Amino acid sequence: MERKQTINFGAGPAKIPPAVLLEAQKELVNYKGLGMSVLEMSHRSSDFTKILNTAEYLLREILNVPENYKVIFLQGGGSGQFSGVPLNLIGLKEDRHADYVVTGTWSAKAAKEAEKYGKVNIVHPKLDSYTKVPDPSSWELNPSASYVYYCCNETVHGVEFNFIPDTKGVVLVCDMSSNFLSRPVDVSKFGLIFAGAQKNIGCAGVTVVIVREDLLGKVLKECPVVLDYKVQAGNNSMYNTPPCFSIYIMGLVLEWIKNNGGTDAMEKLNREKSSLIYDIINESNGFYRCPVDVKSRSRMNVTLRIKHGDEALEKKFVDEASKLGMISLKGHRSVGGIRVSLYNAVTVEETRTLADFMKQFMKAQN
Ligand SMILES: *Cc1c(COP(=O)(O)O)cnc(C)c1O
């Protein structure tokens, strides 16, 4: 069926590669000639096991995941892991201390959740606004913390780390929900990485957890069994029914990433796309302004204001863009302004269409 031509700049759930949707459509009613849909299949069947194992295999290949890491697929979203991480890891040391770097909405929520299970230390002076990654020289890390937590791309504020923190040997945990597989990553630097699929690698319902094996088994006794990484890893993510269809879609997206050159190619495109938008902001003489420090500007979620937050003009921008088929450009309700999400599935050509619109819009207001 023909789709209305829409360019989706939404922050998540977000655009999925059209080739993936077409493949899913083709297979929906009759998966590989089996006479049933993935939606109807037993998760214990050999056909579904193959779907799940293939997704894991592809992920390991794309990210070069070392052998001593488990890959698990869980429900509960990124937010589920705000609890999962402390429940599984804060008991690594008896003190139950955890260090958090708080650079935006998502890491703030994670820190708040962790407070239920132990002592949380925010490692840097509190920020008055989420517009940068505080310089690591200002961090006071606790050497006896169970782990150091950060979110490498804050989806709401558009703040992205351009480095991996040095924790002096303390286990490093990262929420990569909104830039997962947007660039290569050295997994061996992390104790645990998690990412909800609906931003960059599929649809809502599944969250990937990559965790170093030796960290398993210190789970707090009150941890719900479905969030117990050791139990889930020991059962190939099938302690209970996994989010079968979401895993299937994720598998198709992983295949698409692999066939399109992997994380190196994704990084190159994401650099190019985000530069198209940031260049216009930089050359707009203040008409457009990105509140985020140059060094911490996200390649995935570009946040911007028009004429220092002229809300009427920002609304006009969003409305006019929407009439041209460019949707979901409104900033998160907590920060306002404009947000352009440029996940892997968004093309350079689509980004260029928006860039051209931004130029025209600016011209029309002068
Ligand atoms: C969206 C998002 C989350 C929350 O994901 P849910 O699946 O809605 O729980 C957490 N962290 C980051 C960085 C996100 O972008």
Side-chain angles (χ1 to χ4, degrees):
M1 197 172 60
E2 279 294 314
R3 283 217 294 184
K4 189 175 139 215
Q5 280 300 314
T6 290
I7 306 182
N8 182 359
F9 292 107
K15 189 182 175 196
I16 289 176
V20 167
L21 296 178
L22 284 171
E23 178 76 9
Q25 181 192 43
K26 198 176 97 203
E27 295 180 334
L28 182 67
V29 177
N30 187 4
Y31 179 76
K32 299 208 189 297
L34 294 173
M36 66 174 152
S37 171
V38 176
L39 290 161
E40 305 168 295
M41 213 178 256
S42 164
H43 61 292
R44 306 280 174 205
S45 66
S46 60
D47 294 301
F48 182 74
T49 305
K50 197 164 156 206
I51 290 173
L52 186 140
N53 288 345
T54 305
E56 174 174 346
Y57 175 84
L58 283 167
L59 185 61
R60 284 184 177 276
E61 183 181 342
I62 292 168
L63 260 193
N64 240 321
V65 178
E67 292 262 333
N68 61 327
Y69 283 74
K70 295 287 188 191
V71 173
I72 42 188
F73 303 133
L74 299 177
Q75 310 203 41
S79 306
Q81 297 316 312
F82 297 169
S83 325
V85 165
L87 281 162
N88 282 274
L89 301 184
I90 209 164
L92 282 173
K93 291 184 187 159
E94 258 176 38
D95 288 352
R96 292 200 191 176
H97 283 217
D99 277 350
Y100 276 72
V101 185
V102 175
T103 52
T105 303
W106 294 116
S107 44
K109 284 192 170 167
K112 186 150 180 274
E113 187 65 19
E115 279 170 7
K116 294 178 182 170
Y117 307 107
K119 179 95 182 54
V120 167
N121 166 44
I122 311 295
V123 302
H124 49 84
K126 199 174 170 348
L127 303 167
D128 340 311
S129 65
Y130 294 130
T131 52
K132 64 173 180 186
V133 173
D135 196 296
S137 65
S138 71
W139 302 6
E140 286 192 37
L141 296 173
N142 172 4
S144 58
S146 293
Y147 61 86
V148 178
Y149 179 104
Y150 77 114
C151 171
C152 63
N153 186 62
E154 284 285 357
T155 323
V156 172
H157 295 86
V159 174
E160 187 169 21
F161 278 67
N162 64 2
F163 63 96
I164 296 176
D166 176 8
T167 61
K168 312 266 185 311
V170 175
V171 170
L172 183 61
V173 173
C174 186
D175 175 0
M176 291 192 187
S177 293
S178 53
N179 63 356
F180 194 54
L181 307 190
S182 71
R183 52 166 82 189
V185 133
D186 180 355
V187 175
S188 73
K189 295 240 164 36
F190 297 86
L192 184 144
I193 291 168
F194 70 86
Q198 75 272 27
K199 309 289 164 59
N200 212 17
I201 55 160
C203 64
V206 62
T207 303
V208 174
V209 173
I210 303 173
V211 58
R212 216 174 66 213
E213 253 164 16
D214 62 289
L215 304 178
L216 300 178
K218 288 286 173 69
V219 64
L220 304 187
K221 69 175 188 319
E222 54 269 45
C223 180
V225 65
V226 292
L227 281 180
D228 185 325
Y229 302 146
K230 188 164 184 186
V231 169
Q232 288 287 10
N235 286 280
N236 197 23
S237 304
M238 289 204 264
Y239 167 77
N240 62 325
T241 316
C244 303
F245 198 74
S246 302
I247 291 171
Y248 159 70
I249 295 290
M250 183 179 67
L252 294 181
V253 174
L254 293 170
E255 206 178 311
W256 177 86
I257 292 175
K258 183 184 160 179
N259 292 340
N260 283 279
T263 49
D264 287 322
M266 295 300 133
E267 177 175 45
K268 191 162 163 282
L269 290 172
N270 291 326
R271 222 185 258 279
E272 186 179 346
K273 288 182 290 176
S274 54
S275 295
L276 281 170
I277 305 300
Y278 284 123
D279 284 351
I280 290 183
I281 294 172
N282 296 341
E283 290 156 13
S284 73
N285 276 323
F287 181 82
Y288 297 114
R289 210 177 75 81
C290 172
V292 180
D293 251 30
V294 173
K295 284 200 305 269
S296 311
R297 287 185 178 174
S298 171
R299 289 184 201 155
M300 293 279 100
N301 313 99
V302 179
T303 52
L304 62 109
R305 304 298 314 231
I306 300 179
K307 288 216 163 160
H308 297 278
D310 179 335
E311 285 177 19
L313 205 51
E314 287 168 348
K315 183 173 182 304
K316 193 172 172 203
F317 179 97
V318 171
D319 290 346
E320 286 188 12
S322 167
K323 282 198 194 110
L324 297 169
M326 291 176 274
I327 63 155
S328 295
L329 286 163
K330 198 165 181 280
H332 190 269
R333 58 190 186 281
S334 65
V335 296
I338 313 289
R339 173 173 51 176
V340 184
S341 296
L342 300 171
Y343 298 121
N344 289 348
V346 175
T347 65
V348 173
E349 195 191 345
E350 289 176 324
T351 312
R352 201 164 274 135
T353 304
L354 176 65
D356 289 343
F357 169 73
M358 287 175 71
K359 278 191 238 166
Q360 279 159 20
F361 184 83
M362 177 167 67
K363 219 188 234 162
Q365 311 313 316
N366 287 332

